[in-house]
Amino acid sequence: MGTDVLKPVEWVGSSRADLKKFPATVQDQVGFALYQAQTGLKHRDAKPLTRLGANVLEIVSRHDGNTYRTVYTVRFKAAIYVLHAFQKKSKRGIATPKQELDLVKQRLKAAQRHYADKYGKG
């Protein structure tokens, strides 16, 4: 897919504003991952969120001892949806906290509604 046919990026909830609060290097990494998704590629650090299916991906970025996560979906044919961006604060394990997963699920439903309204059911 060429750069002249980039899929648009749609932002759900506060995901864009939250991402803008991240350090510049993290924003750059996420931005490049989203660009690759727009072109039909998958960033090397993008991993599926297993509970939500292979089309919901997470970029985990580490900066200055902190961990930042950005969740997006490539489920839809005509657009990429950024569902959530947050700093993981829990020191227990690497799993995505339940409250964050619940928010991602809610935003995925909102993305489905938005996609049907804006792009049609296809």
Side-chain angles (χ1 to χ4, degrees), residues 47-59 69-76 81-86 95-112:
K47 306 286 187 245
L49 261 173
T50 53
R51 294 181 188 172
L52 299 176
N55 293 329
V56 177
L57 303 167
E58 178 178 52
I59 295 288
R69 296 182 178 211
T70 305
V71 180
Y72 64 97
T73 185
V74 294
R75 175 177 292 181
F76 308 108
Y81 279 81
V82 181
L83 303 171
H84 192 24
F86 63 100
T96 304
K98 183 185 180 322
Q99 72 184 42
E100 305 296 350
L101 282 175
D102 290 344
L103 182 58
V104 169
K105 289 176 189 175
Q106 289 173 359
R107 289 184 174 178
L108 183 57
K109 289 178 184 174
Q112 289 170 324

Side-chain angles (χ1 to χ4, degrees), residues 75-79 112 115-122:
R75 175 177 292 181
F76 308 108
K77 185 177 181 179
Q112 289 170 324
Y115 186 81
D117 290 345
K118 184 170 182 177
Y119 300 98
K121 302 263 182 201

Side-chain angles (χ1 to χ4, degrees), residues 1-2 11 14 18-19 22 28-29 37 42 45 50 52 54 60 63-64 89 92-93 96 101 104 110-112 117-118:
M1 192 178 274
W11 301 86
S14 62
D18 295 338
L19 179 63
F22 291 0
D28 289 347
Q29 181 184 14
K42 181 177 161 243
D45 295 334
T50 53
L52 299 176
V60 178
H63 177 76
D64 206 21
K89 296 185 181 187
R92 282 207 232 141
T96 304
L101 282 175
V104 169
Q112 289 170 324
D117 290 345
K118 184 170 182 177

